[in-house]
Amino acid sequence: MSFEEGKFQEVLSEFAATPEFIREVAANFRQDLQIGLRDPKSSSMRMLKSYVGLPTGNEKGEFLALDFGGTNVRVLRIKLEGEGRYEVTKRVGEPLVLEGKYDYIGKDSTVDQMFGFLARLIDEAIDGDHSTRFYLGHTFSFPSSQDDLNNARLIIWTKEFATPGVEGEVVNDLLLTALKKRGIENVVPVAVINDTVAVLLSAAYKQSDVYTGSIYATGHNTCYLEGSIHDPKGFGRGGMILNLECGNFMKLTPNRFDTELDQKSEKPGEQRFEKMVSGRYMGELFSMAVAELLGEKFNFTAIDMSGIVADESPQLTKAAKILAEKVGRELELADVARIRELAAAIIVRSARLVTASYVGIVWQRAGNGEIQKQHVAVDGSVYEKMPLVKENINRALSELLGEDAAKVDTILDNGGSGLGAAIAAAMAVQ
Ligand code: BGC
């Protein structure tokens, strides 16, 4: 039996992101940013200083890059060759959770386990060489307060990380302790940056006209170059990059699914914007909405949504298969089509909201003047792989910017988290 059309339309309408709505979000985003520039405490965004501006593109040397902040930890050795060129000479990586084997991010994990794991990967990346000196750049992708480029204190875990004993601590101190325990004293951390900052550094190393870096993946966040901030402890050119922590942006109206998801999450009240747009939560929103139609809840992931939406065949065979596997029975074609429409609406809302935030930044950077030609550098699986995302970003850019949309685009900066860490390390030691 197929589900009721009225109910379906009601659930679907919860995820509408009309042109008026996203225009309002973009304007509120800009306003919250301006408030935050005057006083970060009054903004819903954390607006964290990074103590780094843009690179010249001529940074050189071999550096270690630790990329810690998603489901996988990576350690790379990267040779920067200047003129935007580089070579990855070694790459190791492992997941932080292996079902049934270990879990370094859950409530029952410990600091020693988590940082011991990082130290082991670093040891592997340096091939057990405990004498050559290696400078390390650390991309640590959680809200952290800094008062220079090398020290970052974790404010709060996000993305459902829950390891006790890290919040409030200086992460590189924890790392140094773990390295020492393994007998590694030749690895010298010199820079800690957020992954958004890493993406911006990485993109700006390779090309001009990039002032904004963003992650659109498990988590979501954006940073931009603020020309009005200069600090004697900062490195690089053009001012200072501000890590907005806009996953915490709250000046928009959530729907009832957003509210319920937030209530059930690890940190209710936090990261409201991220919970509406990022890959970590999209599947849950979809599961909740589908549950209202089917009368029973099944756990869908963002990957399931991607598979369902990607199916454009007349019989929706693949979409039907994904659904049947989860639900345990075949659904009518009309219902498969409706559920697919719902998945699409959640993805499209996400892309339109994220674009509104980019436009808020573009407006802020332009001030009262003209919008400059620019690329917004983005990394992350949702941006890279989720169907409907790129075209809806472009559509929303046109809606919001009109003719000026010709001056602004988004570009993929794949792997920027690692490269950016190496660039930050180079900037710190040169
Ligand atoms: C974190 C940010 C990070 C983003 C993307 C968010 O949950 O708070 O610091 O940039 O995820 O990884």
Side-chain angles (χ1 to χ4, degrees):
M1 196 195 71
S2 100
F3 31 76
E4 198 212 316
E5 183 63 18
K7 179 77 195 160
F8 168 67
Q9 289 302 339
E10 189 271 313
V11 171
L12 186 69
S13 69
E14 289 286 345
F15 294 96
T18 63
E20 299 71 41
F21 180 53
I22 61 166
R23 184 164 291 280
E24 191 185 305
V25 172
N28 289 346
F29 194 93
R30 179 191 189 178
Q31 194 193 40
D32 210 28
L33 218 155
Q34 286 172 334
I35 293 172
L37 282 174
R38 287 193 294 271
D39 171 21
K41 287 200 185 68
S42 309
S43 168
S44 68
M45 298 187 266
R46 291 197 166 85
M47 318 265 305
L48 303 168
K49 287 184 176 178
S50 68
Y51 293 88
V52 73
L54 295 186
T56 59
N58 274 321
E59 289 73 11
K60 287 190 181 126
E62 195 179 16
F63 298 90
L64 269 181
L66 165 63
D67 175 13
F68 174 34
T71 33
N72 282 299
V73 173
R74 294 184 197 89
V75 186
L76 312 170
R77 269 160 78 168
I78 299 179
K79 209 184 266 170
L80 301 177
E81 291 161 350
E83 292 169 15
R85 286 179 296 118
Y86 67 98
E87 190 191 340
V88 176
T89 51
K90 175 102 189 183
R91 185 192 297 269
V92 301
E94 276 179 37
L96 280 155
V97 181
L98 207 57
E99 287 262 325
K101 288 218 156 150
Y102 62 82
D103 176 350
Y104 297 133
I105 62 176
K107 278 203 183 89
D108 297 328
S109 59
T110 66
V111 177
D112 282 355
Q113 285 170 344
M114 178 180 255
F115 284 81
F117 172 73
L118 301 182
R120 181 169 68 68
L121 290 178
I122 290 174
D123 210 358
E124 221 177 286
I126 58 175
D127 298 312
D129 172 355
H130 290 185
S131 52
T132 312
R133 178 182 291 250
F134 294 97
Y135 291 112
L136 174 116
H138 182 178
T139 295
F140 182 69
S141 317
F142 301 93
S144 309
S145 59
Q146 298 190 227
D147 47 29
D148 61 37
L149 181 55
N150 193 30
N151 286 298
R153 195 179 286 278
L154 174 62
I155 300 171
I156 185 171
W157 280 130
T158 56
K159 297 174 274 201
E160 309 297 298
F161 275 54
T163 311
V166 190
E167 285 174 334
E169 300 299 322
V170 173
V171 287
N172 271 357
D173 287 353
L174 301 177
L175 183 63
L176 279 170
T177 307
L179 288 171
K180 212 166 178 187
K181 265 196 199 148
R182 270 194 92 87
I184 306 174
E185 305 213 16
N186 52 321
V187 169
V188 188
V190 290
V192 191
I193 51 173
N194 185 257
D195 50 357
T196 56
V197 177
V199 167
L200 177 49
L201 293 181
S202 158
Y205 181 71
K206 293 176 280 195
Q207 69 183 95
S208 49
D209 302 322
V210 196
Y211 313 100
T212 307
S214 183
I215 298 286
Y216 191 4
T218 310
H220 170 65
N221 185 19
T222 304
C223 71
Y224 79 100
L225 181 73
E226 174 52 57
S228 70
I229 305 181
H230 297 274
D231 189 289
K233 284 190 280 175
F235 296 86
R237 59 190 178 89
M240 191 187 283
I241 301 172
L242 283 182
N243 163 18
L244 295 178
E245 286 297 333
C246 59
N248 207 40
F249 177 63
M250 281 188 205
K251 300 193 177 154
L252 79 172
T253 315
N255 70 25
R256 61 191 169 85
F257 296 103
D258 299 317
T259 305
E260 192 187 329
L261 177 146
D262 175 54
Q263 289 306 316
K264 289 191 302 197
S265 69
E266 193 64 57
K267 297 253 161 67
E270 299 288 337
Q271 301 293 103
R272 296 300 303 268
F273 191 61
E274 179 170 67
K275 286 169 184 163
M276 295 172 78
V277 301
S278 84
R280 175 67 182 75
Y281 300 98
M282 230 182 243
E284 178 60 16
L285 286 174
F286 180 55
S287 306
M288 288 162 60
V290 171
E292 289 206 359
L293 303 175
L294 294 177
E296 194 185 342
K297 182 144 181 262
F298 303 94
N299 288 328
F300 292 98
T301 62
I303 294 173
D304 297 325
M305 293 171 76
S306 170
I308 291 169
V309 170
D311 184 0
E312 293 178 350
S313 68
Q315 291 308 310
L316 299 175
T317 335
K318 285 194 192 125
K321 191 159 171 263
I322 297 171
L323 287 168
E325 270 166 17
K326 281 275 152 143
V327 174
R329 66 183 164 89
E330 304 271 320
L331 297 177
E332 284 180 23
L333 177 59
D335 285 350
V336 174
R338 287 190 181 110
I339 294 181
R340 182 172 172 275
E341 201 179 330
L342 185 56
I346 294 173
I347 297 166
V348 170
R349 181 185 75 149
S350 162
R352 289 172 66 79
L353 289 176
V354 166
T355 311
S357 74
Y358 295 161
V359 168
I361 295 170
V362 168
W363 283 340
Q364 172 61 18
R365 279 190 47 85
N368 294 326
E370 278 215 3
I371 289 174
Q372 244 179 307
K373 171 175 178 255
Q374 61 195 288
H375 312 290
V376 175
V378 190
D379 195 7
S381 47
V382 177
Y383 178 71
E384 194 182 349
K385 299 192 185 130
M386 185 66 96
L388 302 176
V389 165
K390 287 203 196 73
E391 65 247 48
N392 278 285
I393 290 180
N394 291 339
R395 192 169 304 149
L397 280 174
S398 297
E399 275 174 33
L400 291 168
L401 292 172
E403 276 181 11
D404 283 331
K407 298 186 198 156
V408 183
D409 65 0
T410 57
I411 52 168
L412 175 68
D413 193 88
N414 211 335
S417 287
L419 176 59
I423 296 166
M427 291 167 82
V429 299
Q430 271 164 13

